[in-house]
Amino acid sequence: MTLPTAPRAWAAHLTRMLRAAVPEANRFPVDVRRLALDYTQQVFPKEPIREADGIEMDGCDGALVRIPRRGWGILYNSAITSRGRINFTLAHEFGHYLVHRQ
């Protein structure tokens, strides 16, 4: 299977995968943290996302970081209290991983 390269194509790909794997009643809200960790471990085992955690950050909501010799991490600002905003930030950084990491 050829993997997508564009953001919209990645969104469609992941949506199809979630529809096939998760019953509709349990699909929303999407657990982006779990999706990023599990999906990248299976599809990109040599460079998966290993962490997706909140830390104290000044001046930004999130970041995609390379973890030397381990893979990648997604960090979000632990001062964010909205679960929806955290999920959005995780999804945004996961998108950077999928489209730009190479």
Side-chain angles (χ1 to χ4, degrees), residues 2 9 13 29 32 34 41 58 62 68 86 99-100:
T2 302
H13 171 77
V32 177
R34 177 82 352 225
Q41 184 65 47
D58 286 330
I86 291 169
V99 177
H100 303 298

Side-chain angles (χ1 to χ4, degrees), residues 15-73:
T15 298
R16 283 189 302 274
M17 185 195 67
L18 286 171
R19 280 187 186 139
V22 181
E24 187 172 352
N26 299 329
R27 198 176 318 141
F28 300 104
V30 173
D31 185 346
V32 177
R33 181 182 188 283
R34 177 82 352 225
L35 175 62
L37 295 172
D38 292 349
Y39 183 81
T40 61
Q41 184 65 47
Q42 293 174 32
V43 179
F44 305 107
K46 292 183 180 179
E47 54 179 355
I49 294 174
R50 300 250 186 224
E51 299 176 25
D53 298 309
I55 65 165
E56 288 185 31
M57 302 174 84
D58 286 330
C60 69
D61 284 350
L64 175 68
V65 296
R66 184 176 255 314
I67 304 169
R69 296 174 300 282
R70 291 196 56 226
W72 293 86

